Amino acid sequence: NNNLLLLYKKQDPQMHKLSAVLFVFFAGYTAMMQEDEKTALQLINKFKKDIEKQTEKFNGRIVQYYGDGCLLTFESSTDAVDCAISMQHVFSESPVIPVRIGIHMGEIMFRNNGAFGNGVNIASRIESMGIPGSILVSKTIRDQIINKSSFLLASLGTFQFKNVRVLIIDKSIILNTVQDKMKLDLIIISKNPRINITQLVKVFNCKQFVFDSSNPIWKIRKWQQECRSLQINDYSVPESGAFIYNIGI
């Protein structure tokens, strides 16, 4: 008699999946709770109801609430961005809810009704760099939607996710004045963009500007004059050599 061997794959309670991850955060909720608890609770309830309506509308999944924030996942980048835009329209209506949104595409591990992985961490970091009313997306998301005419994208440069917040501006950008400035440790200006420092400080709260060697000297000196009139530290690489920044690792 021949013995039969039955082979089967043990069910894995963890599921890995490539997803568009969206973090949405109610900015200033904690402070609002201390000042006006009744209003804060009304707004957080509206915040959650609006998220549920928009997520269902764009085929998303609510993975988890984090008090004043929420983690969502989507099958496609387009659905995630469409949902984010629709959310911000809704949140901008009276009563206004100040919300930041960050989106990234990455492999996610779903386990015990939660989502984990580097993709989740990056989406969270992207959201934290925004300002109320903003939608920030990673390069991965941008590359997938850049050819869709329905989306208008503006590059804010490259952020390095370490212990220091760095923004690299290497093209001309148009910025509007905001109420809550984005905090940065360092702004590096490269490739002679058509910008001015006075415009940048209306959006970014930054300790140091660095101008690299791809900028003409006359332009660097113009920017330096602006920095000094605003009492902001500046550094010219072509005039002073390599810039070294201690990130405290």
Side-chain angles (χ1 to χ4, degrees):
N1 293 331
N2 294 325
N3 293 325
L4 297 178
L5 180 63
L6 177 63
L7 299 177
Y8 68 97
K9 183 179 179 180
K10 185 178 179 181
Q11 187 174 3
D12 188 352
Q14 301 177 358
M15 180 178 70
H16 293 259
K17 190 175 182 180
L18 186 67
S19 300
V21 185
L22 185 153
F23 255 96
V24 54
F25 179 77
F26 185 160
Y29 173 71
T30 302
M32 189 182 295
M33 273 291 288
Q34 295 174 349
E35 295 174 7
D36 187 345
E37 183 177 341
K38 183 179 178 181
T39 299
L41 290 174
Q42 289 174 345
L43 289 180
I44 197 71
N45 287 333
K46 181 181 183 299
F47 171 73
K48 291 180 178 180
K49 287 178 182 177
D50 288 340
I51 287 175
E52 289 163 9
K53 288 180 183 177
Q54 298 304 316
T55 304
E56 183 179 1
K57 181 179 175 182
F58 292 97
N59 308 308
R61 171 187 173 186
I62 296 174
V63 178
Q64 192 171 352
Y65 283 105
Y66 298 90
D68 47 6
C70 185
L71 169 63
L72 316 173
T73 59
F74 295 82
E75 296 287 335
S76 77
S77 298
T78 301
D79 284 344
V81 176
D82 278 333
C83 184
I85 293 170
S86 186
M87 279 184 182
Q88 288 293 23
H89 282 309
V90 171
F91 292 137
S92 67
E93 296 171 357
S94 182
V96 175
I97 300 177
V99 164
R100 303 193 304 255
I101 296 176
I103 311 174
H104 178 61
M105 174 69 79
E107 186 173 277
I108 310 301
M109 179 178 69
F110 294 94
R111 182 180 64 193
N112 300 328
N113 297 319
F116 308 87
N118 197 45
V120 174
N121 297 334
I122 292 174
S124 176
R125 292 293 301 275
I126 290 170
E127 169 272 307
S128 70
M129 289 182 167
I131 56 177
S134 68
I135 301 168
L136 297 186
V137 304
S138 67
K139 183 178 182 296
T140 310
I141 295 289
R142 185 205 67 176
D143 290 346
Q144 294 194 13
I145 66 172
I146 196 167
N147 293 322
K148 298 182 185 294
S149 59
S150 56
F151 298 125
L152 180 62
L153 300 169
S155 174
L156 291 178
T158 303
F159 287 86
Q160 306 296 329
F161 292 110
K162 292 196 184 274
N163 292 341
V164 56
R165 288 185 170 186
V166 180
L167 172 62
I168 301 173
I169 299 176
D170 57 6
K171 61 176 67 176
S172 301
I173 56 175
I174 298 174
L175 298 168
N176 297 319
T177 305
V178 296
Q179 226 174 7
D180 299 313
K181 296 182 183 181
M182 188 184 296
K183 292 182 180 180
L184 298 171
D185 295 289
L186 192 65
I187 292 179
I188 299 173
I189 298 182
S190 181
K191 299 181 183 178
N192 193 25
R194 203 177 288 174
I195 52 98
N196 62 68
I197 306 303
T198 305
Q199 176 193 27
L200 292 175
V201 297
K202 291 178 180 178
V203 178
F204 304 109
N205 181 2
C206 185
K207 304 172 183 177
Q208 174 90 53
F209 281 80
V210 175
F211 312 111
D212 73 14
S213 298
S214 64
N215 302 295
I217 293 294
W218 69 267
K219 192 72 168 286
I220 290 176
R221 288 177 180 166
K222 182 181 176 183
W223 287 328
Q224 285 179 316
Q225 287 178 355
E226 284 188 87
C227 285
R228 287 160 193 177
S229 68
L230 294 166
Q231 298 184 327
I232 297 172
N233 294 328
D234 65 85
Y235 190 93
S236 169
V237 172
E239 294 178 295
S240 304
F243 178 78
I244 300 173
Y245 191 88
N246 180 11
I247 62 175
I249 295 179

